[in-house]
Structures are given as structure tokens and as C-alpha cells.
Amino acid sequence: MVSPRELLSTIEDALLGPAPPTPTQRIELMHAIRSSLPALQSLLSYPGPKASDRAQVQSKEVRLPDSPPISLDDTDVKIALKLSDDLNLNEIECVRLLVDANREWILYGREPLEIFRLAAGLWYMERRDLITSLYILLRSVVLDQGLDGGLVADIQKHMEDLFSSGLRQRLIMLIKELNREEPAGVGHQNAERYVLDFRGALVERRAVVLRERLSLSHCLALSVLIIRMSPKDLKDVLSTLKDCAADVDENTTVQLQITFGVLFSLVIAFISDALRTSPDTASTLSSDASFRHEFHGLVMSAGNNTNIEGFVHVVRLAWAVHLMLTQDQSTMTDAPSSASSRDLANICSCLEVICSNNVFQFLLGNVIKTAAYQNDDEDMVYMYNGYLHKLMMCFVSHPLTREKVKEMKEKAMSALSPYISPRLDDFRDINNLKEGSPGSTQPFVSLLELVREIYQKEPELLHGNEELWTFVTTAGEDHTNIETLVAFLRLLSTLASNEEGASRVYELLNGKVFRSVGWSTLFDCLSIYEEKFKQALQSSGTMLPDFQEGDAKALVAYLDVLKKVVENGNPTERKKWFSDIEPLFKLLGYESVPPYLKGALRNAITAFVKVSPVQRDTIWSFLEQYDLPVVVAPSVSSGQHITTQIYDMRYELNEFEARRERYPSTISFLNLINALIAEERDVSDRGRRFVGIFRFVYDYVFGPFPQRAYADPCEKWQLVLACLEHFRLVLSMYDIKDEDIASAIDMKPSMPHASSVETQIPVLELLKDFMSGKIVFRNIMSIILLGVNTIINERTTQIYGILLERAVHLSLEIIVLVMERDLVLSDFWRPLYQPLDAILSQDHRHIVALLEYVRYDFLPQIQQCSIKIMSVLSSRIVGLVQLLLKADAAKSLVEDYATCLELRFDECQIIENTKDDVGVLILQLLIDNISRPAPNITHLLLRFDVDSSVDRTTLQPKFHYSCLKVILDNLEKLSKPNINALLHEFGFQLLYEICVDPLTSGPIMDLLSTKKYQCFSKHIETFAVAPLPKRNNNQALRISTLHQRAWLLKLLALELHLADMASSTHWETCLAILSHTFLQCAAERWSPNNLQTFEADPNLVRNRPINRKKVLELLEVIQFRSPDTSMKYPQLLSNLKYDAKVEDILRNPATSESGGIYYYSERGDRLIDLDALHEKLLQMSRELSSRLNEVEKAELRESFHHMLKWCWRYNKNLEEQAAQLHMLTGWSQIVEVAVSRRMSLLEDRSQLLFELLDASLSATVSPDCSVKMAVILTNVALTCMAKLRDERFLCPAGFDSDSVTCLDIISVKQLSNGACQSILFKLMMSILRSESSESLRRRQYALLLSYFQYCRSFLDPDVPPSVLRFLLSEEEDGEDELNLQKIDKEQDELARANFTIIRKEAQAIIDLITKDAVQGSEAGKAISFYVLDAFISIDHEKFFLSQLQSREILKSCMREISNLSLKDASGSLDSLQRFCTIEAQLSLLLRIGHNYGKHGSQILLSMGALEHLASCKVLALQSKGSSRLVSHNKSKDRAGETDKEKLLVSPILRLVSCLASLVDSSDFLEVNNKIVREVLEFVKENQAIFHHNLKGDISGADEFTLERVNLVVSILSKVWPYEEDDHYGFVHKLFTMMHSLFNMDAQPSNFMQSSDFLEQNQKRTELIMFRICFGLSSYLYFLIRKKLVTLQVLNSDGDLNRQPPTLESLLALLNSIAITLESAGEEKILLLNKIRDINELPRQDVDEIIKVCMRQDCISSSDDIRKRRYIAMIEMCHMVGNRDRLITLLLQLAECAINIILIHFQDDNTDPQDLSLFCGKLHPILERLEQFKEDKIGQNLKLFHRSLSTLKEMSIRKMAL
């Protein structure tokens, strides 16, 4: 059995939705109905108290069905027993209520009374849900709601079964029982009087029960149309009606509505039973003669209670009609009998009673016109009116009653005097007939008024109602009495309430149907009186004749008919109906014309305002000619008065209407003026034309309205409404110009009339009033301060309540309009005038009163205004929350907003205009206030702790009813997606924004990470991947759905990004998100806190579907072609050649900026304001109208219509495009965050990354993918590619062992060659897509470079092969050697495949890249050159080189390098980007030299590469910069200069060094002829660069400096030996450097025993230092061999810096080499041993190794020992590689030094004595070098040892000499 709440939800979704129910909804509906039939059958029947159950509760252990035992404490027992006593409920059921209440709200920490009230309130909510479900089901059958006939038939069958089984008797009994003061009813005297509703608000129990009885009475009335009442049912209902009527009080609105429900149950029963015409459904009541006799006796028995008798009279009327109809049916089928004669007598007796007691007047005054009837359920009132219509039509059309009606008419004619003497002072408004007035007691008049009232409420019942028109024809004949004539004309005015009726009424009064009633009578009477008054004025001294009251009343009625006919007539036809309306104006200026007649005249005139613009202008002219003037005194406020009294509107108001306390003339005058102003199109004068009227309204009407007396409260509020509407028009229609503001600055608030009235601008005067808190402000606030409770009471109990409601709405709307302008004006007008918020803050009651109207749910517009005011005040008043707390209004306001939002979520109809959606307004209010100073309104309404610290709040939505609870509950269910789409969207956005805000992030993310929500990750597998709604069917829902998914994905990404993984809730939430999204979550990973496996939550693993990854399905959802948003105007507009004008409107900044035709939606989309554009098009039409004929005007209107449709479509398409990008952004965020931060929690990571990368690239290739989408997708691909690169060398997954092996290094997670080729192919297609941008291509180029880097090495390039071989030999696994070979083979195959793929698209791809490299931005150029660099790196066929040569891209590079100016050396961002481009070009040139070897370098030289490099101005800048380094200002801009040096100087030197390498590979003659000459020329032109890098001590230099020195030495060592003239001084500098470096002491150290940063940095620079030494040694060797330079043997005491180094210096170098070589060998062995024993090292030692290598950033505290060992092993392999490279270099350097010494040993000119001493020093070093073995060094030492042996032998011989 479904719960009542689930039943109601299912019924609402299926039957009340905007669309027909889906098949699934129908199945769920029928299942819910069938399951709930027992509960509906025994409606509100609950098990009562039971002694055994009470004893079980008192035992404190209760077992509920299908649940384990529940333990209770003393408080629980007391509450349960009190619930049982107060509600007459079983004790076990009361415990169940407590359990449910605790599930719904947190009961812990609440008072017992509060818990009792919550549980009781929950019980009443269950009852309400059940009754409401029954009501909706009945209504769906009875009322035509457009549901499928089969569905309605199924529901009807169930309802018929229920009522056949006695449900109606249950309803009747409940209506009676619930009214008793007993536990099963409203409760006994000692019972708790209050309960807490769903929002936690106190509600009186009696009021709740009354509402139940009202719903039951509605169900009773509806049930009559499901299955007919039995005779017993009718008698019981009649008895119930008498009981209800006896309890009716004037102030009990709900009690009255209950009585109406019971009354109309009888009326509907009689009428529906009698009107059943088919034989099988004929009347059942008429066939039971005994019942007819018995019931007639019951219904005709008289009573003493007049109230009961009134309702019984209505039953008698229905009974009489029933008897008449059934008698007709029986006489048609059977012969007359005694029974029929008795029925006829009964009918006559009934008719006599109902007419003599004037039942029509009772129905009119005590039923239909009551506030209770008008405020009842709309559907029920519609049904009541429908059966009143049937009742009265049967009554007036039946032959028996026709005679009775005729008799009543004649009686009325004779009883009423034909004319009424004039008593104008005592005249009452004829619109309010009251009991006791002469005409109101006549049944015929009441009958006409009753018929009028019925059709006034339901005009559609007039269609095809010929019986009514027949009655009208009869009733309109031969009126000899004013009262009957007035009643008849009032009926005609109602009949003219629609277009058809207006046309028929016009024809009736225009023809000869009635002899004395017609339009001619109206206008003749007006003309006669006008002539009388004119003659009286012409006769001096003669007073104006009195206006006869009867004539006045008749004219008012005629004018009311005229007004309705004109208002509702066909817009085309009505222009021809009344050609001359001047008579309507001629009586307005006469004093003796009653004000109510003037009011009727002006009301009729108002109807003509909208007939046509010509008619409107005519009305203005006639008003100025005939109506009373509006004269405003110049100094009213100063106390002065006008000396001459004139008869004007002010005089009539104060002297006539105020004395009579009736104001029809003034009200009509203001309504007419408002209607005319609203139709004005020329607003250029800003309302100066109407300033006199404004002052009249301001000073004389609205200002003193609270002090005036009113005979009729309705007139009071009609007057207020007219004034407020005038103020609203003033504020909304007229703009303010700057000159107006400036001219009003000198105005003082105490002197409103200081300037001439004619110069005042109404809108400014009104704003001044509000901004100084004057009369209009005070009066409006007095209306608002009545308060919500008062307005609700008046609205539901008083006729004028609707008027008061409208007054409140207009007041709030005016305040909103003022708040839109006051800030701008206050900047100019301070301090005299202040913003409205400052005025309101002077009395906190004002602010509270404005904000509490969010609770008023009778009129949503009032709630909207209150929310808008809250939005403004929250942005202006910083301490608004403290103000509300101080005023004790905060708690109620929180609940009111939550209630308003929840009711909006429960709506069943779509709100078309989102600006009118209170739910959207509330959510926007919450979103807008998030970032405002704390505590703000968002914190308050979401129940953050605003009393202390917001960021330390513990959110408890179950404990505190607030907007947060409503939002979370609805986002969890996502029900009614068609209706609540925007609410779901902004709800997700709100949660995301709160999570992003640093103040609220902690509390809300802790709440969302709980198991109940888990950030709504469950929606990923359902809602998020569901197909989108079709664009053609519901584009708005499609757009909102995309945004919903976007915010959901961003919320999930945020949790993944910010989650504290040390928290178990956040950890589980992240796993849930990953599991739902990627379906590859590592379930076996352990939680950091409790070490429980992920399988502890079976829903995330066991129930995980085996299907595609949802992340890929999400991407498919977004892959659709974006709708067109281009500015292509309709063809029709282009044909008319007005597209230029329209384009000017759309693109002109004057019209397209803020306040123009564009606006920003709630989502931030810049859309076309259709209303503003329509106004512009109308203005354009008026400008063109004089030049166009009628056909062209029609075409122009048609084109504008198409234009507006196009703009609407443009807006929707733009919104959809933005929504698509938004969701794609959310998708990219969750993918990138998961890949970047939570990759360790996923399984099969490489495959997942490949799938994401492949899907992203596939999407970019799709023709449906826009450029903006491609940019986002490419960013995702970049992230995945980078993670793939990192993933190759991460610790392999697996927990079977803590050990790492060589296999872990060589079995990298490399994608297959096929997968790599697929990536490259799709990437190439993506780059070559037809629609692209440079920004997109830059990202694609970066992705291409990342791909090449990924493919470049399958193995870690920093792990040398020798180390791998060592590890393989240690592990003795032959398969690993095969793996290495396989890896090498696969890498070669992939390289060839990559080249082949690119070569296939080479023409297009190189064209595109070279275009970007030449024409793109600096950033685009740089990365384009890097791509070309990458192409060259994989080119083994010189294919790309020829492509670049043919496009002259290399020459372009050289030209740009040579043309680099000094302007580009500025510190701007542009110059840095320019330098980056030059660096990329240098990299490309260098790549050509290196990749193609001698051929490439020769090509570069042939293009003049060195000449272009030499002419580069940056080198000159560097030369100048070097001289500034020694100045006093050397630190200035040094950082920027160093950056530029790094960018350019070093690359240039590298390129020169590359070109200089040709010297070693060329013939000597070729060298002398060309290459050396060009390099020497470059060196000479840039000698400063070389000098700068050769001077000074480089022992403490950084890596960058040493690298440049090495490049300089390398260049000079190759070419400078060929230079004969050394006046440049390079030789001496090189010699000086040799002395410095050769004699530098080597310090042996242990690589593994130092973690000092300086020492580690020294180790990194050691290799570069020895490279410099090698270059210097090579240069020295060249001098000795080629130029026969001889070195001294021993160092002398003189200055040797300008002399070549001595052999003794070389000896010192050999000693350093020996020491370093020994240290490097030992370190290598130590490292290899540690690598071999890595699995035996404890964690402390492993961490120490990681610390020495300074890679602590690679691990976290949660990483296991396996990962730590892997990282340590890889880092030590890198270090071994470094030592290997150093050893190789040292051996080469030693060989060079040995060769130099050998040359000198072979020279006979060397001093033998010095050589002998030298050999003595050399011998120990040689012996030390001889000790190095191959197994220790890891190198082949045969040649090295041979050279050592030769040198050693010669040194021995030299020593012997």
C-alpha cells in the first residue's frame, strides 16, 4: 500500500501536469489507486485506543510492522499516550507517528510539546493528502480537464465502486462528526489546541479540521456526478445541511463554504437526476413515489431559524425544478394520474413558498455575492455556477414558471411606484441592492439580478443559450417601472460580457424589439437634460433644474450596457456602432447632475478610449470642452487658499462627494484619465501635460484619503486604486533626463510648489515624495502596514477584500518602481532627498511589513513584489539580517520564504513568464546575496548560524524548516521536470555557488557529502544521461535541462576538487561520484580513516550497472548541432528594404545598451527584449506610415510580425547555444578534476584516459561541433594527454606485493600503436576542420606536441640502458630482454606510422601551420613553429624540410630574427611574446641542423643564417646590458633582462655552435674558404657577448651561466684557431679560463649522504663544468697540433693568465679527473646496489632517498611502501644515468689531456729537467687512473688503459734521463 503522500504525488504528476500522462505515469497511477482503495473506502478511519497496545507502549518497547523492536523513553511514552487520548488514535499508531516524525524532522533536542505538535501535524498532513487525492480523482472525472477518455473511464470505474460501497455515507458522517468537540473531531476541552504544520508553524487544530470538512463537502458535491444519490443519501444530506446552516456565522467563511458544498450537493443531485434523458439513465428519484412524498414533506416543513430556512428555500427551488422536469418526462411517457396531479400541487406549493420568500434574493445576497462563495475553490465555484445556470434556465423556460415569472413581473410593476422623488442626498448606489430597500424585496427584480450574477461570473455559459435570450425578450417588454427597467438593463450589461453577447445586445437595443428600451432612449434623454440645463443657464438667475432620480438610475443602467457593449464588441464592428459620442460629455460640467451619473458617463466614455486612436483624440477634445476643469492652487501646502471659488473637480470632490461620503465622480474621472494616459504614445514631455491632474490626485485625492469618510468601503479602495494606478503610470511611462535632474536640485522638500506647477515633472515630484518620506509614501505605507493577516482576513471575509488586495499589490509595485530610480537621483539630491531604503530604515516596521507579504499566497504578484523589494533591500542595507533579528521577524520570514518556495515546487502548471515565477525570484535572491557581507539574507534564509559564525554552522535541514530543506528535497527527487525545470536549474546553481563561497563552503559541502545526498551523484546515471527534450516540442525545457546538468556536473567536480579525503564522508562521496561517472572506481581501495572497503556501501558496487561509462554518454548528450544565432533577418523584411533600419535598431549602441532593446536574463544571456523591440518597430511604422499606401502598410505589419517571431527564435537559439557550452564546461570540469586529482581512485587508468581522449577528439571532428565547443574539448584532450604521459611512469597498480622490479619500469602503460595512430589521425582531422580559430588551433598544436612527446620514448628517457641491463642481469629473466627489444621495435613502428599519417595530410596541415606561423598572433606563431620543429624531429626522409623550403618559411624565420628591433626589448607582455616567437624560430632552425646533420646545417648556412643571426639587435642589446651590470644601478630591470637572455641569447649561441660543428666535418680548404670565415665574422660582430661570457670566475655560477659559457667555448674552440690576429683578446681569456678550471680542486663527496640544496646543485653543474674543460682542452690540443704551440712544463711565479696553461696545469686537471672519476664510480656502484636491494630497504631509508633526490612532492602521507620504493628506484636510476654521462665525459677529457702530454713528451725541445720533475708528479696520478676497472666504471677502458700505458712508459723514460 502506498503512503498518502506518495498517492497524492502520483496523482498530481499524472492528472495535474501540463502534458498528458505518459504510459509509465498511467501505470503508476492505476497501481496507486488500486493500492489505496481500502484507505479511501474507510476514509479517515483509524484504529482506536486499545488496552493491550497501551500496555505495550508503557512497557517502553514496541514492535511496528516490518521493523525491529523500538525502545522508548519516558518522554516518548507520555507523548504517544497523549496523542492517543487527544486524537482517539491507537497507541501503536501513535508510536509510528513519532517514528515518522523523527524521519521527517529531527526530534532530538526538541521540547515534548513541540514533538507532540509535530507528530499531530504529520497525522493531519496524511489525512489531508488522502482527502486531496480523492478530491483530485473526483474532479478529473467530473470536470473536463482534457484527459484521455480511457484513463478517465478507468478512474471513474474505481470511484463508482467506492461510492457504491458506501463512501458517500462516510463523507456525510465525517462532515458531521468532525464538527463535534470530541477526540475524533475538533478535540475535547483539555486537548492540545495547536499542531505544527509541515513548515513548523503553529496552526489551530480547529482550523485544520474545518479545512478537512470543507474538502469533504467538495468531495460530496463532486460525488453526485459520479453516481446518483439514493433517497437515504438525500435525506441525510438535507439533515447535514440544516446542521451546517445552524452553525453559520457571518465571520466563519470556511463554515459557510462547507454549507455551500452541502447545499449544492442537493442542487446538483436534483438537477442532474432530472436532466438524465436516456432511458437507461432516467431519473431514479421520480420513480419512488414514497420518497417524493416523504421528502416533499421534509423540505416543506417550516423552521424557526431564518438562516436554515434560507438554505432550505434554495433546496425547495431545486426540488420544484426537479419535480417539474420529471413530471414532463412522465407525462410524455405515461397518461396523467393522481400522482402527477399531486406532484403538480407540490410544485405549485413550492413555487408559492420560494417566490413569497424571495429565494432569489437569498441566493444572490447570502450565497453568490458573499466573500465565502467568491473565495471558494475555483473549480467548485465553476461547477456551482454551472448548475445554477441549469437550475435557472429550467426555471425560467418551463411553462409553469413562465406564468409565475410573468405574474412576478406584473406584481413588481404594480407594487413599485413608476417614479421616485429626487432625494439625491439619500440615494444609494444601485450596484448594491440590499434587503429592505424598496426594489430588493420584489422577486422579479431579484430574479433578474440573480440571472445577471450567474452569467457575470461565467460568461462562457452564454454561448448558444437561446433559452436565456428568450427570457430576455420576455423580461424586456413594457417596463413601466424604473426598478424593473434598471434590473433588466443590468442583465443586458452582463449578457454583453463577450463578443457574441455584445453584438446581440447592440442589435436588441438598436432595433424595434422593445418599444421603450433602446439606444435612442439613452441619447435622447441625455440631449433633453442638456437642453434643459442650457436653457436654465441662458435664463439669468434661474437655478438648474433637479435631475430626477429615476432618470438618473435608468441612465446609469443604460450607460453600463453601453460600456460593456463597446468594451466587448468586435474591434472592427464597434467602430461603426456609435458615430457620435458627444452627448456623453455634455452633462459632465453641470452641478445638478448626480455624481454617480457622472461616474457612469465617464465609465462609458472610458470604454471608447481603446476603440481607435481617432476616438481617443476625440475624447481628449470633448473632455477639455465639456468636463469639469482641474484647477490646482499654487500654494496649497503653505496654507493659502484660492480667493475665487470655482466649480471644478476639486470643488465637486470636497463639497459634493465628501459630504455624501460617496465618490463615484472622482473615481470615474481618475479611471478615465488613467485610461487615456495609458494609451499615450508621445511621452517626450515626461508628463508635463498632465501635471495639473497629477497635483490634483496628489494633493486633493490621495493625500487626504485616510481622513475622509466613506459610506461604502468598496468606494474607498476604488478611489485608492485609481490614485495608485495613476502613480504607477507616472513612474513606469516617463523617463528622466539629466537636465530634469539638474533643474530639480534646488527644489526643497518643504516647498513643493516653489516653482510653477507647469514646470514640474510628475515623475520627479513623486520620487521626491518617496525620497523625503512625505504624503504619498506615508499613505502607501499605511496601506501596507495593515499587514498580511489583516489583508488575508479582509480578502476572505469582505466583498471589498479583492479591491484591498489590488491596492496592496499596486502599492508594492510602486515601491519597486521607485527603487529602480532612487539611487541615481539620490546622488544628485543628497542630503535633502535620500534613497528609499534609507527612508524605510527610519522605521523598521516598514521593512518588516514589506517583506512579510511573501506569505500572501492569494495573489502571486504580491509575493513577487515583496521578493523584489527584499532583493533591493538586501543589496543596500548591510545590517538587514540584524534588523530582522532585532524585530523578531527573522524566524517567520525564513519559514514564509520556504513555504512560498515549496508551494511553487508543488505547482502543477507551467509558468510561462519566468519574471513572474516566485520560485525563480527566490532562488535568484539567494544566489545574488551569497557574496555579500555576512550575515546576509542567503545565510538567514538557508538557516546558517547568523548569530555567531557562519562558517562554523552545522546545517540541519531536517531540524530547521528553511529554503535549504525545500531545495534539497526537491533536487533529490527532481519531480515535475516540465514545470520545475528552472527551479531545479537555479537550485543546482545555488548549491554550487554556496560551495564555491569560502564562508559557506565548509558547512554546505559537509552536508552534501553525507550519505543521504552524496552531492546528488545518483542523478548521473539517470537524469544526466537521459535524452534531451526535442527542440521543436519544448526548447525552453531543453535549455533548462542542459543548464541543470551543467550545474550538477560542476557541483560534482567541485566536490572531487575540494574534498577532504581524510574525512570518511567526503571519501565515500568522491568514490560514489567516480563510480557513477566512470564505472571504474577502485572499490578495493581502503578508506583513510576506518580501513573499511568501498564495498561497505553495496549500492555503489553490487548494483553498479555493467554498461558504457556515463562520462561518455554525457558527452554524447551534448553532441548536437548548435542552433543558428546569426543575424539573418526574415526574407520578407529584406524584400521591403527595411532591413537596414532594423539592423540599426539592433546594432546601434544607443538602442542596444542597457535600457535599450537588449537585456540580460537570469542566466546572464544577452537577449533581445521583444517588448522594447516591438515599441521601436511601432515607432518606425508611425514614421513610415505617411509614405506608404494601405497594401504597403499591411506588408510592413506582416514583416514586423515575422521579425518578432525571428527575434523570439533568435533568443531561444542563443540560450540553447549557451546552455550547450555550459554543460560541456561542466563535463570538462568533472573529467579534468577526476583525471588530475582523483586518478588514483580509478581502475584501468590508461584505457580510461584513452577513451576520454578519443571521445573528445571524435567530438571535435564532428560537423556538429562549434568552435567554442572544440576549444573546451581540446582542453580536456590536453589534460588527458598530459595525464597519459605521466601515467606511463607512475607506480603500477596492484596490491599483491610491496616489491618493485625491473618489469615495473619496462612494462609501462603505453597505449597500443593502433590507439596512438587513432589519436593522431583524429587530431589531424580536428586541426583541419572547416570551422576553426587561432585560439582553437593553438590548443590543438599543444595537444599535437604533447602527443609527440608521449610517443618519443616508451621507456623513461632518464633511465639509461646500462641500468636496465644491470637490473635484467640481476633478475635473470630472459623475457625482459625480449620485452626491451619489443619495445624498441614498437617505438620504431609507431614513429614510422606517425610520419605516414602526417605525410598523407602534409599539404593541408603544413599550409595551415605555416599560415599561422606567418600571419597569426605572437602566441600562435610560437606554437606553430614548435609544431614544425616536432615535424622535423620525426622526418627521416627530409620530406618536411623540402616542404618548408618550398614555402620559404626558413627564410621568413631568419628575416624575423634579423629584424628584431630594440623596441621589442621593452618589458611589455607583447615584447615577451615576440621573444617567445623568436625562440621558437631558433628552435626550428636548430632542429634542422641537428636532425639533418651536415645537410641541414649547410642549407641554413646557404640561406645566410649566420648573417641574419649577427644582425639580430637583441645581441647588441645584450652587449649593452652587460656593461650596465657593473653600474650602480645594476639590479634595475635585471629580472626582465635575464628572462630575455634566456629566451634568445642561449638559443642563438646553440644554433651558431651547431653551424660551427661543420668545421669538424668539412675539408680544410672548405673550412678556410667559407664556414670558418662566416662563423668568425659572427664572433667578431658580437664579440661583446663572447667577452662577457669568458670573463670572471665561473666556479660559483648557475647552470644557465655555465651553459652559455660552454656554448661560447665550444664555438671558439672550433673556429678561433683559424684566426691569425688575436687583437680581440679571446685567446688570453681562454687561457685564463684554462688556468682557472684546470687548477680547480676536486672535492669527492657521497651523493647519497647529502640533501643540502647547494651541494645537490653543485652536483648538477659538475657535468657542465667538465664539458667546458673538454672544450678548452680541445682548443688547446688544436693549437698544439695545428699551430705547433708548445706549453711550459712547470708553473712559474709570473702572470700566467696571458700564457697557455702549463703541463703542470694539465696534471692538476688529470688529478681532478681521477678524483671525480673515482667518486662517480663509487656513487654509481652504491646506487646500483641500493636499486638492487630496494625491496629490502625500510620505509625510513626509502624516504631518505626520496628526500635526497628532492622529490617529496611526488608522494603523500597515504602512499604505500610500494609506490615509495618505485619512486626511489626511478630517481636512483636517473642519478645513475647522470653518473654514467659524467664518467664518459671524464674519460674523453682524460684522453685529450694524455694526448697533449704525449705530444710534449715527443718534443725534443722540452727542458729534460722540468720534464723529469713533471713525470715524478705525473706517475702517481697515472697509477691511480690505471686502477679503474671496467666493472667499476661501467665503460670500455681498453683504449684508455693503452694510452695510460704509453704515457707511463714515456714518463719513466723521461725520468731516467
Side-chain angles (χ1 to χ4, degrees), residues 6 189 353 391-392 781 880 1180 1364 1579 1636 1755 1857:
E6 292 171 344
Q189 292 183 350
V353 171
L391 174 69
M392 295 314 299
M781 290 311 303
L880 181 60
M1180 175 180 163
L1364 289 176
V1579 172
S1636 174
I1755 59 173
L1857 293 176

Side-chain angles (χ1 to χ4, degrees), residues 1055-1097:
E1055 169 66 14
L1056 289 176
H1057 180 68
L1058 298 178
D1060 179 10
M1061 299 304 284
S1063 167
S1064 60
T1065 57
H1066 285 286
W1067 183 85
E1068 291 176 0
T1069 298
C1070 287
L1071 288 179
I1073 295 171
L1074 295 173
S1075 177
H1076 288 301
T1077 308
F1078 299 97
L1079 300 180
Q1080 288 180 314
C1081 188
E1084 68 276 8
R1085 297 283 177 144
W1086 288 349
S1087 169
N1089 287 347
N1090 51 20
L1091 298 180
Q1092 292 178 347
T1093 65
F1094 188 55
E1095 294 175 357
D1097 188 355

Side-chain angles (χ1 to χ4, degrees), residues 1454-1580:
M1454 295 178 187
R1455 284 194 299 269
E1456 290 192 25
I1457 294 171
S1458 63
N1459 293 333
L1460 186 64
S1461 64
L1462 294 178
K1463 293 181 180 179
D1464 296 322
S1466 62
S1468 66
L1469 178 61
D1470 292 339
S1471 69
L1472 288 177
Q1473 291 180 340
R1474 175 71 176 141
F1475 271 60
C1476 291
T1477 303
I1478 298 299
E1479 184 188 26
Q1481 293 170 334
L1482 289 170
S1483 176
L1484 173 62
L1485 298 177
L1486 185 61
R1487 178 69 66 183
I1488 291 173
H1490 280 301
N1491 194 67
Y1492 299 120
K1494 180 179 179 181
H1495 176 72
S1497 299
Q1498 288 175 341
I1499 290 176
L1500 296 178
L1501 281 174
S1502 66
M1503 292 181 177
L1506 286 173
E1507 290 84 349
H1508 286 95
L1509 292 176
S1511 61
C1512 180
K1513 302 297 189 298
V1514 174
L1515 295 177
L1517 177 67
Q1518 169 65 18
S1519 302
K1520 297 177 182 178
S1522 62
S1523 63
R1524 292 197 299 268
L1525 295 179
V1526 295
S1527 66
H1528 67 281
N1529 199 22
K1530 67 178 182 179
S1531 62
K1532 185 178 181 180
D1533 294 333
R1534 179 56 184 158
E1537 292 172 0
T1538 302
D1539 289 338
K1540 294 173 188 130
E1541 293 168 8
K1542 290 180 180 179
L1543 285 173
L1544 290 185
V1545 176
S1546 295
I1548 290 175
L1549 292 176
R1550 289 192 195 100
L1551 182 55
V1552 174
S1553 177
C1554 175
L1555 296 176
S1557 64
L1558 286 175
V1559 175
D1560 298 332
S1561 60
S1562 302
D1563 296 333
F1564 184 76
L1565 293 177
E1566 184 181 352
V1567 168
N1568 285 334
N1569 290 336
K1570 185 176 181 181
I1571 302 174
V1572 172
R1573 188 168 58 252
E1574 292 185 9
V1575 177
L1576 287 174
E1577 188 65 28
F1578 174 84
V1579 172
K1580 294 174 182 178

